[in-house]
Amino acid sequence: MARQRRHSSRRRRRGRFGGLYRVISILAVAVALIVACVVFFRINDVSVSGNERYSTEEIVEASGIRTGDNLIALSKSRVAGNIIARLPYVRSVAIDRLLPDRVLITVTEHTAAAAISDGSNWWYLAEQGKLLERVSDPGQVMTITGLTAQDPILSASVQVAQEEETTLSYVLALLTQLAGRGMLADCTALDCTAAASITLNYGIYQVKLPRRTDYSEYLTLLQAAISSEELPENVPGTFDLTVQDGRAYFRPDHDGE
């Protein structure tokens, strides 16, 4: 009986130490993997895709990534945040680690949806309201009248006087819809000075729109009216969409002559 108890005691001790050995082995493997990642996975190449406005060098510089940085420890969110903060036209950033030593940065860029004045200069505006660039002349970009940018800051959202904030919400809603439908290239001006409507210059037409936060239905009506065979060809005029009966009323300009 005493011999059996001694054997049982030795087995229990071996069982306890066996569990400890397994834990130590797992920790040793984990440490080895961490050391391998730190030592071997170093960034030697950074490539960029999707960029048009900014050069590869500008984007890599803004990213904060340096040759020799650890690939595994790279913070994707920090890199993306650096680029968006420093390069106003960058809309979104995707970061891919390409083992063993490469990083791919894919950017999506804003386009200037409109130009708004601060009273002295013009500022290019993305459809969501981000200020992209200060310019002396709006060029071919659609101008907004009836709103004035207040203390504009590059890369920040446009701010206006308190009494103009509601109008700004209508304008941004319209810009978003126009951008989503690929219509911005044909827009030249947006007049917000009227109290009950806003007027969009779209190609050879003026489009009178109500003040709303959703313009999907109105732009659908406009596109359908412009493509209709009943519309006089190449005749400038005004579409009135403020009458909410599911129709776009067209008045040729020569009717007033």
Side-chain angles (χ1 to χ4, degrees):
M1 292 294 293
R3 186 178 297 111
Q4 289 177 349
R5 285 196 294 271
R6 285 196 295 272
H7 287 316
S8 176
S9 177
R10 283 197 294 270
R11 283 196 297 270
R12 286 196 295 270
R13 286 198 296 271
R14 283 199 298 269
R16 288 197 296 271
F17 285 117
L20 179 60
Y21 292 149
R22 283 195 293 272
V23 171
I24 293 174
S25 298
I26 292 171
L27 289 174
V29 171
V31 170
L33 288 173
I34 293 171
V35 170
C37 289
V38 171
V39 172
F40 296 109
F41 294 101
R42 296 289 181 178
I43 298 172
N44 288 318
D45 179 68
V46 182
S47 53
V48 178
S49 67
N51 54 312
E52 294 183 6
R53 175 168 292 274
Y54 299 111
S55 68
T56 295
E57 292 74 20
E58 287 175 310
I59 292 174
V60 173
E61 176 65 26
S63 74
I65 298 174
R66 299 292 179 263
T67 300
D69 286 351
N70 184 260
L71 180 63
I72 304 303
L74 181 71
S75 171
K76 294 184 179 181
S77 60
R78 177 180 59 80
V79 171
N82 286 344
I83 295 171
I84 291 173
R86 298 175 187 178
L87 303 177
Y89 275 93
V90 174
R91 180 172 186 169
S92 63
V93 180
I95 309 294
D96 292 304
R97 299 185 184 94
L98 305 177
L99 297 176
D101 62 355
R102 290 184 58 216
V103 175
L104 172 62
I105 301 174
T106 304
V107 300
T108 303
E109 295 178 344
H110 287 290
T111 56
I116 186 171
S117 175
D118 64 3
S120 301
N121 298 284
W122 289 93
W123 291 78
Y124 284 161
L125 194 67
E127 64 264 26
Q128 301 92 345
K130 183 181 181 181
L131 291 166
L132 302 176
E133 183 181 359
R134 185 179 66 181
V135 294
S136 58
D137 188 292
Q140 301 300 311
V141 177
M142 172 171 58
T143 57
I144 299 174
T145 55
L147 289 176
T148 302
Q150 299 287 306
D151 302 319
I153 300 173
L154 194 63
S155 288
S157 296
V158 63
Q159 302 295 316
V160 296
Q162 184 175 1
E163 61 270 18
E164 296 179 349
E165 288 178 354
T166 302
T167 300
L168 177 63
S169 67
Y170 301 149
V171 168
L172 296 182
L174 178 58
L175 293 181
T176 299
Q177 282 288 326
L178 290 170
R181 293 168 180 260
M183 299 173 69
L184 279 175
D186 294 314
C187 299
T188 57
L190 184 62
D191 184 353
C192 307
T193 55
S197 63
I198 57 178
T199 300
L200 173 69
N201 285 15
Y202 183 73
I204 62 173
Y205 307 113
Q206 286 195 324
V207 184
K208 190 176 179 182
L209 295 158
R211 291 171 170 255
R212 293 288 186 273
T213 54
D214 184 356
Y215 286 97
S216 178
E217 178 183 352
Y218 298 99
L219 295 183
T220 297
L221 286 174
L222 175 64
Q223 289 179 309
I226 290 175
S227 61
S228 172
E229 295 182 355
E230 299 178 3
L231 183 69
E233 189 174 355
N234 296 324
V235 175
T238 300
F239 283 102
D240 190 346
L241 297 174
T242 61
V243 181
Q244 298 178 44
D245 61 357
R247 298 180 61 185
Y249 292 92
F250 179 70
R251 183 181 70 252
D253 283 350
H254 60 66
D255 277 7
E257 295 177 356

